[in-house]
Amino acid sequence: MASVTLSEAEKVYIVHGVQEDLRVDGRGCEDYRCVEVETDVVSNTSGSARVKLGHTDILVGVKAEMGTPKLEKPNEGYLEFFVDCATPEFEGRGGDDLGTEIANTLYRIFNNKSSVDLKTLCISPREHCWVLYVDVLLLECGGNLFDAISIAVKAALFNTRIPRVRVLEDEEGSKDIELSDDPYDCIRLSVENVPCIVTLCKIGYRHVVDATLQEEACSLASLLVSVTSKGVVTCMRKVGKGSLDPESIFEMMETGKRVGKVLHASLQSVVHKEESLGPKRQKVGFLG
Amino acid sequence: MAGLELLSDQGYRVDGRRAGELRKIQARMGVFAQADGSAYIEQGNTKALAVVYGPHEIRGSRARALPDRALVNCQYSSATFSTGERKRRPHGDRKSCEMGLQLRQTFEAAILTQLHPRSQIDIYVLQADGGTYAACVNAATLAVLDAGIPMRDFVCACSAGFVDGTALADLSHVEEAAGGPQLALALLPASGQIALLEMDARLHEDHLERVLEAAAQAARDVHTLLDRVVRQHVREASILLGD
């Protein structure tokens, strides 16, 4: 992650504040910063979303392309993740490590049957399927990357519109794929069970949700919990140099589930409200 | 040759513009708070974001430090979902390196590097659709101004092409893909000096002046727009400061 230099006095100040449930910007330990989500910002993708969480800025684009299904899952399509760090802390090759780590985490959290119904992405078994390339662009790093990225991925998948195709089979048995004439005729993915990541950073004896860069510099260990809207945990990972007590892990997981459910509810209401504004909605993008 | 008519008999282009007309430009400065300077520009469907860091200590090898000037470092990276077909590598490929070098050449001509010896200025451009170089330069100019780095003049860029005896300004992706001659021009408007000139494909030298003039006029029009954006931004900033 991007690092920020803090003096010992500043670290002590942050740690003491967290013990009293009061963070530097006045939030409580379980409060998120103000999140701005906007979908459909990039016009030539199947779906896109931009998330601004404090100083963290993420842009996700989803492109649907046709491919062949994987051998072990012939009736399903699949998702491919790619993360690009465009900030200059990661000049040249430096961002690749962080990008690979985030991409692998995204693969892990989507690696179960219930997150996305991959059978809807199948066109004809063993031959054609939709492959969704989810590309994450990290524009600005202001702490708490995983959460912002998972929110953006969920919003982008909600916004994704995959064109409806029909497979026509003629007498010789050769198949032809026909795209529907109407450009608005498309299938949408159900993102009910798509999980979001909640990162809990251990600072002193307590843990905080949505840490800024300064708070991340004070914490020795964090727990990434991937939670669905129903509170089901799909993946859990400990990151950081320090070690965690088993009891703290259980506490952090409970907090993660609680916070995750609230996060999902608000995200759901925001994207539905945005969608209800219809195609005439004023697109703000980066101009606002 | 069958296909799209780039310039109709009535003088309209594929997207309905006239020969010398620019696409709609919208821009904003100060998009990212953590960067020293940042800007976003939309030219039609092309969207470019520029982020500037510096002047700061040279990162990496100290040996690259120039004793009398600042080092301008430009990196161009293009999002994987930006083009119609998904691109695999966002940066590090030949086109991105070449674009980075071109941007560097353009901005070394404009930035007063003598004022900041032994320092580095990074320009990162993330581009999201066809019509690349011009949008990148315009975005980078705004970002450098937002960062407060002294420049000789604005750097305004535009592309131009030549079809059926008429010079077209500000080519869109469709017009670029048609394969005709393309000229990319970066201009310092006050003095009329050219910072970068690049041309692809064959063009008879008799037509060069007309195409160059079309590009220069378009760049001056872009300058008017960018000037307005900068003044608006400064006005907003001074209102916030309560002047």
Side-chain angles (χ1 to χ4, degrees), chain B residues 95-106:
Chain B
K95 179 168 174 278
S96 307
C97 289
E98 188 194 344
M99 187 72 85
L101 285 171
Q102 285 183 334
L103 287 170
R104 182 181 171 174
Q105 183 193 338
T106 315

Side-chain angles (χ1 to χ4, degrees), chain A residues 53-98:
Chain A
L53 175 64
H55 282 312
T56 304
D57 210 321
I58 312 279
L59 182 62
V60 173
V62 179
K63 268 192 170 315
E65 285 184 14
M66 282 228 244
T68 37
K70 294 191 175 150
L71 287 172
E72 60 271 14
K73 298 202 168 107
N75 299 331
E76 297 176 350
Y78 55 96
L79 275 76
E80 291 274 348
F81 293 98
F82 177 71
V83 178
D84 180 26
C85 299
T87 45
E89 286 99 49
F90 315 111
E91 208 176 308
R93 304 294 320 252
D96 288 352
D97 286 342
L98 179 63

Side-chain angles (χ1 to χ4, degrees), chain A:
Chain A
M1 302 282 172
S3 59
V4 65
T5 41
L6 280 185
S7 67
E8 282 307 313
E10 283 173 302
K11 283 189 189 161
V12 166
Y13 181 72
I14 292 177
V15 172
H16 282 186
V18 168
Q19 308 301 86
E20 312 283 327
D21 195 21
L22 189 64
R23 292 154 81 173
V24 174
D25 45 10
R27 288 184 282 157
C29 287
E30 296 189 5
D31 295 334
Y32 267 88
R33 285 171 286 185
C34 185
V35 187
E36 287 173 32
V37 177
E38 193 182 349
T39 58
D40 206 20
V41 274
V42 182
S43 45
N44 61 351
T45 51
S46 310
S48 59
R50 179 182 174 223
V51 168
K52 213 164 143 56
L53 175 64
H55 282 312
T56 304
D57 210 321
I58 312 279
L59 182 62
V60 173
V62 179
K63 268 192 170 315
E65 285 184 14
M66 282 228 244
T68 37
K70 294 191 175 150
L71 287 172
E72 60 271 14
K73 298 202 168 107
N75 299 331
E76 297 176 350
Y78 55 96
L79 275 76
E80 291 274 348
F81 293 98
F82 177 71
V83 178
D84 180 26
C85 299
T87 45
E89 286 99 49
F90 315 111
E91 208 176 308
R93 304 294 320 252
D96 288 352
D97 286 342
L98 179 63
T100 332
E101 188 192 343
I102 300 178
N104 287 340
T105 311
L106 287 171
Y107 275 117
R108 292 260 285 289
I109 68 174
F110 277 86
N111 189 20
N112 56 61
K113 293 190 189 33
S114 54
S115 299
V116 174
D117 190 5
L118 296 170
K119 294 202 169 41
T120 52
L121 297 176
C122 178
I123 302 170
S124 58
R126 280 187 300 281
E127 283 169 11
H128 301 285
C129 71
W130 285 111
V131 181
L132 293 181
Y133 289 100
V134 181
D135 297 314
V136 179
L137 195 56
L138 184 60
L139 296 168
E140 206 185 357
C141 178
N144 205 19
L145 290 176
F146 286 96
D147 293 29
I149 290 177
S150 65
I151 295 173
V153 168
K154 181 167 180 174
L157 286 173
F158 176 78
N159 181 239
T160 305
R161 282 161 172 74
I162 304 172
R164 215 182 280 276
V165 290
R166 285 186 308 148
V167 182
L168 303 166
E169 204 169 317
D170 51 4
E171 308 83 42
E172 291 125 40
S174 63
K175 295 192 179 155
D176 208 18
I177 299 195
E178 190 189 295
L179 204 61
S180 147
D181 282 333
D182 179 6
Y184 292 106
D185 183 19
C186 41
I187 49 177
R188 304 282 300 273
L189 287 176
S190 156
V191 293
E192 287 296 316
N193 290 322
V194 168
C196 270
I197 301 179
V198 178
T199 308
L200 301 124
C201 292
K202 186 128 169 67
I203 297 180
Y205 293 113
R206 297 189 65 157
H207 48 270
V208 297
V209 167
D210 189 23
T212 59
L213 277 179
Q214 287 80 5
E215 288 165 349
E216 279 178 358
C218 300
S219 98
L220 281 176
S222 314
L223 191 71
L224 294 177
V225 183
S226 143
V227 193
T228 64
S229 52
K230 299 190 183 62
V232 174
V233 173
T234 65
C235 169
M236 207 165 73
R237 221 176 109 210
K238 177 210 157 281
V239 292
K241 317 187 274 287
S243 48
L244 285 175
D245 207 69
E247 274 152 31
S248 350
I249 293 192
F250 284 116
E251 270 172 32
M252 285 156 99
M253 211 165 74
E254 290 306 310
T255 312
K257 284 200 284 192
R258 204 176 35 232
V259 171
K261 278 202 248 187
V262 175
L263 181 66
H264 274 286
S266 3
L267 179 63
Q268 204 82 316
S269 70
V270 165
V271 289
H272 277 121
K273 198 164 84 166
E274 204 188 25
E275 173 126 357
S276 69
L277 292 171
K280 296 277 182 332
R281 124 180 109 91
Q282 187 92 4
K283 295 219 176 107
V284 173
F286 291 93
L287 289 168

Side-chain angles (χ1 to χ4, degrees), chain B:
Chain B
M1 178 174 28
L4 288 170
E5 213 181 28
L6 287 180
L7 192 66
S8 77
D9 297 327
Q10 289 83 29
Y12 288 109
R13 290 153 78 173
V14 179
D15 48 7
R17 287 184 283 154
R18 289 234 161 241
E21 215 177 302
L22 295 176
R23 290 174 290 181
K24 181 176 179 189
I25 298 183
Q26 289 175 291
R28 185 161 165 254
M29 293 167 68
V31 180
F32 298 133
Q34 279 187 303
D36 290 326
S38 55
Y40 171 74
I41 197 168
E42 258 184 47
Q43 255 181 270
N45 271 332
T46 302
K47 302 172 172 97
L49 268 170
V51 172
V52 172
Y53 288 84
H56 57 80
E57 282 275 328
I58 303 241
R59 247 181 246 136
S61 62
R62 284 288 155 79
R64 289 193 309 158
L66 298 163
D68 59 340
R69 293 189 280 129
L71 200 69
V72 176
N73 174 34
C74 294
Q75 178 168 329
Y76 167 87
S77 93
S78 147
T80 46
F81 43 75
S82 58
T83 49
E85 277 247 342
R86 183 179 172 263
K87 245 182 78 159
R88 253 154 231 294
R89 293 192 66 188
H91 46 79
D93 60 327
R94 259 187 22 219
K95 179 168 174 278
S96 307
C97 289
E98 188 194 344
M99 187 72 85
L101 285 171
Q102 285 183 334
L103 287 170
R104 182 181 171 174
Q105 183 193 338
T106 315
F107 280 93
E108 274 186 344
I111 296 178
L112 294 168
T113 46
Q114 284 83 354
L115 294 177
H116 301 282
R118 291 176 219 285
S119 56
Q120 183 177 341
I121 300 169
D122 300 311
I123 304 181
Y124 282 78
V125 180
L126 315 155
Q127 181 260 341
D129 214 338
T132 65
Y133 175 74
C136 294
V137 168
N138 296 331
T141 301
L142 288 178
V144 171
L145 287 172
D146 188 41
I149 295 174
M151 288 215 288
R152 207 160 274 126
D153 193 0
F154 276 76
V155 184
C156 302
C158 199
S159 54
F162 192 76
V163 162
D164 283 348
T166 328
L168 304 176
D170 196 10
L171 303 172
S172 63
H173 182 71
V174 172
E175 289 162 344
E176 279 183 0
Q182 293 169 39
L183 184 99
L185 177 78
L187 191 73
L188 279 76
S191 47
Q193 306 251 342
I194 296 177
L196 185 129
L197 175 65
E198 204 205 14
M199 209 196 81
D200 294 327
R202 283 189 337 181
L203 180 71
H204 196 289
E205 60 177 298
D206 290 346
H207 304 308
L208 181 61
E209 195 176 328
R210 256 189 293 168
V211 179
L212 204 54
E213 184 46 44
Q217 182 55 40
R220 280 189 283 266
D221 294 336
V222 170
H223 167 66
T224 322
L225 266 149
L226 295 186
D227 189 73
R228 201 184 306 159
V229 170
V230 173
R231 282 176 204 276
Q232 177 67 25
H233 180 76
V234 170
R235 200 174 304 137
E236 281 172 8
S238 60
I239 288 173
L240 285 172
L241 288 171
D243 277 337

